[in-house]
Amino acid sequence: MTNPSLKQVIESSDITVHPGRYAYLKCQTVPPGNHFMVTQDPDEVTVISKEIDILDTPHIESTQWWKLLEIRVSMPFIATGFLAKITSTVATKDLNILIVSTYSKDYALVREDNVAIATQALRDIGFPIRTL
């Protein structure tokens, strides 16, 4: 059996645009609360949370107004260049994108005012896209 092409993996994966706006927070410690994702390395704690949930979250810095795109990879760990294709596609539109990954999914955060341009670019390369 041959491995599927990158194009086949893209066309059989899907992207979901989540409702609401998200924020990236730099924190000194892991904060309590209902957050989408918390990561910690030796230098810092980073929190991704819906903006509505950050009012009571102590943080050092923040960047807000992000939309969350959930990328369900149909065949994880198979297609070389999958994330590179996503990021380069969005970059061709002169947009920034932030990527975080879990074991079975990838997430992209795109500025709210750029989400239509970014999702259309991803649709143009074959991703099915839906909005919740």
Side-chain angles (χ1 to χ4, degrees), residues 48-121:
I48 301 171
S49 190
K50 282 190 173 182
E51 285 185 0
I52 195 167
D53 295 327
I54 69 168
L55 297 175
D56 297 323
T57 304
H59 57 279
I60 301 164
E61 295 178 39
S62 70
T63 179
Q64 298 179 23
W65 297 67
W66 298 95
K67 294 295 284 184
L68 180 72
L69 284 61
E70 177 182 332
I71 305 161
R72 290 186 175 262
V73 185
S74 62
M75 295 168 253
F77 311 108
I78 298 291
T80 301
F82 184 79
L83 287 178
K85 184 66 173 176
I86 291 169
T87 57
S88 65
T89 296
V90 174
T92 64
K93 301 301 180 186
D94 205 26
L95 304 176
N96 284 324
I97 188 171
L98 301 171
I99 299 285
V100 293
S101 297
T102 65
Y103 189 85
S104 58
K105 290 183 246 174
D106 297 301
Y107 294 91
L109 286 106
V110 178
R111 288 286 189 187
E112 181 180 46
D113 55 346
N114 296 326
V115 74
I117 297 167
T119 54
Q120 185 58 54

